[in-house]
Amino acid sequence: MLPTPFQLTSATLFAIMFSLGVGLPLEGFSCWQQNRGLILRALVGTCVLVPLTALLLMWSPTLALPQPARFAIALMAVCPSAPLLMRKAAKQGGDRSLAALLQVAAALLAIVSIPLLGLLFTRLFGVAGWAIQPRHVAGQVALAQLLPLVLGLLLRRFAPRLAKRIELPLDRIANVLLLTLVLLLLVKAGPLLMTYVGANAVALPVMAAMVLFSLALGYGLADPDPRQRVTLALVTSMRNPGLALLLASTHAPGVPAVKLGILVYLVITIILSIPFLRWQASLRC
């Protein structure tokens, strides 16, 4: 029997977070004492300021966003700790250890921040059909992110040789699952994509504005160090589509356009990140 999209989403997120825990450079965690102010600024930026900016944009009376688009933007905004953040930072001239530390810290903080922000969004917008309970979301985030992450960290701590041996295969499995999930969603909803874009055209500039603001926010919160600036810009702009899709499957199952919106937000993030990263690369030359 083939897995359902919900089961595949859950398995993908679990595999990604477990792989992250297995591959984390534990020695890099000692840098938190020297960078406590930077880490605090980054966490406030990615877990608080980005979601609140999305809230203000959607609250604007000049933006009549359709409800599915609001769901998608809200879910991506409140879900920090992007799955591929550490690798992306390492490849783009960022600080891999700092990215790892921020990714773990954001995943922990998300257990509190996502339920509270979700409750704030639903109360302000009077969302119908989304019976969100903070304790349920906290438990779901903990099981989906924290549990596999902790298991991976424990394996790396107490069985480093085994962790080193399986790190690359686990990473590949997690990437294949993520690619499979995205392709499955595109195949199932592909025919509706152009319809979605046409019906939600006003949401595309809002998504782009969110991504650009997040990049600028991370860049501005960092110290005047090119590696830190790249890392924090990626931390604040890259959201967690796996977690957003999982929450959409749980709390908005009757609104399939939400998942399309999440994918569109992800694509916009990737596209707008390219010129920023090229600009940063040109500064290092």
Side-chain angles (χ1 to χ4, degrees):
M1 181 181 297
L2 294 176
T4 65
F6 177 81
Q7 291 171 331
L8 182 58
T9 302
S10 302
T12 299
L13 187 56
F14 191 97
I16 287 172
M17 298 308 294
F18 181 69
S19 174
L20 170 64
V22 170
L24 280 174
L26 298 179
E27 63 279 359
F29 278 58
S30 60
C31 73
W32 76 270
Q33 292 181 331
Q34 292 78 34
N35 296 285
R36 279 178 286 189
L38 176 69
I39 293 167
L40 179 60
R41 294 198 302 272
L43 291 176
V44 170
T46 190
C47 294
V48 179
L49 296 182
V50 169
L52 291 182
T53 300
L55 178 63
L56 290 175
L57 280 175
M58 291 186 292
W59 211 5
S60 171
T62 60
L63 295 176
L65 293 177
Q67 191 179 73
R70 285 186 175 183
F71 274 165
I73 295 171
L75 285 171
M76 286 293 275
V78 302
C79 290
S81 187
L84 305 180
L85 174 61
M86 187 174 66
R87 185 192 308 157
K88 186 80 171 178
K91 287 184 177 180
Q92 300 297 337
D95 188 325
R96 183 172 183 266
S97 296
L98 178 61
L101 181 57
L102 289 172
Q103 193 162 12
V104 172
L108 293 172
L109 186 56
I111 297 175
V112 177
S113 67
I114 290 178
L116 293 179
L117 287 165
L119 190 60
L120 175 63
F121 274 62
T122 54
R123 289 286 174 83
L124 287 178
F125 290 111
V127 178
W130 190 350
I132 184 171
Q133 294 293 329
R135 66 181 185 276
H136 295 157
V137 179
Q140 189 173 27
V141 174
L143 287 175
Q145 287 212 137
L146 185 59
L147 177 61
L149 180 63
V150 169
L151 291 176
L153 286 170
L154 289 174
L155 181 64
R156 186 173 181 88
R157 173 66 178 83
F158 295 105
R161 291 183 180 178
L162 175 61
K164 190 69 176 177
R165 194 181 318 129
I166 68 174
E167 179 180 348
L168 185 58
L170 275 176
D171 190 55
R172 288 175 176 171
I173 290 172
N175 287 337
V176 168
L177 283 173
L178 183 60
L179 179 61
T180 302
L181 175 62
V182 172
L183 289 176
L184 177 63
L185 291 173
L186 287 175
V187 168
K188 292 189 67 174
L192 301 175
L193 188 57
M194 294 307 297
T195 304
Y196 175 87
V197 171
N200 298 272
V202 68
L204 302 186
V206 177
M207 293 179 181
M210 280 298 307
V211 174
L212 292 174
F213 168 79
S214 301
L215 284 167
L217 177 65
Y219 187 88
L221 289 174
D223 293 331
D225 178 338
R227 297 182 67 201
Q228 287 188 8
R229 283 178 167 171
V230 169
T231 303
L232 264 68
L234 291 175
V235 165
T236 53
S237 63
M238 294 179 64
R239 316 310 289 172
N240 192 331
L243 183 57
L245 288 169
L246 181 63
L247 293 175
S249 298
T250 304
H251 299 287
V255 193
V258 174
K259 295 179 182 178
L260 275 177
I262 291 170
L263 294 179
V264 171
Y265 193 112
L266 175 62
V267 171
I268 291 175
T269 301
I270 294 171
I271 292 174
L272 293 182
S273 296
I274 292 173
F276 168 78
L277 293 172
R278 285 181 176 174
W279 171 56
Q280 287 298 293
S282 69
L283 295 180
R284 296 194 299 270
C285 296

